[in-house]
Amino acid sequence: KRKGAARELVRNVNDLRKEAGLTIKDRVVVGFATDSDFWKIVFAEHSNAVAASTLADAINEDLNDMSGSREIEIDSQKVVIGIKKL
């Protein structure tokens, strides 16, 4: 289930990149905010893979200064993700 959530994160971050008009040369920081233990575990276990798949230099539990964001919900567990171009 957590691997599937990580794939969903990758898909959504890449959608945000596309919406922002970013290219594969553009590096980003991914930020997130959640009260869900499920999502916190997903980030702890899969942040390196998510970062590699989304061309992110960092993943932080911080949504300040993000240029785009969206909410993801799996089994009533919610997380808000955002990106910021470096």
Side-chain angles (χ1 to χ4, degrees):
K1 189 173 186 176
R2 292 190 301 265
K3 278 186 176 182
R7 285 191 298 272
E8 190 67 14
L9 280 173
V10 168
R11 186 183 68 76
N12 277 278
V13 170
N14 284 330
D15 284 350
L16 286 171
R17 289 179 59 89
K18 184 177 179 181
E19 290 169 9
L22 302 179
T23 70
I24 60 171
K25 294 180 182 179
D26 296 317
R27 303 298 291 189
V28 298
V29 171
V30 174
F32 73 96
T34 186
D35 292 328
S36 163
D37 290 336
F38 170 77
W39 281 109
K40 289 178 182 181
I41 293 169
V42 169
F43 278 100
E45 291 179 350
H46 300 284
S47 63
N48 289 337
V50 171
S53 297
T54 59
L55 304 175
D57 284 354
I59 297 178
N60 303 316
E61 194 169 357
D62 180 10
L63 285 175
N64 290 329
D65 302 324
M66 296 292 148
S67 60
S69 66
R70 67 173 53 178
E71 183 178 274
I72 305 170
E73 183 176 347
I74 295 179
D75 294 340
S76 300
Q77 303 293 313
K78 297 178 183 180
V79 64
V80 177
I81 60 167
I83 63 168
K84 176 174 65 172
K85 182 181 172 185
L86 293 178

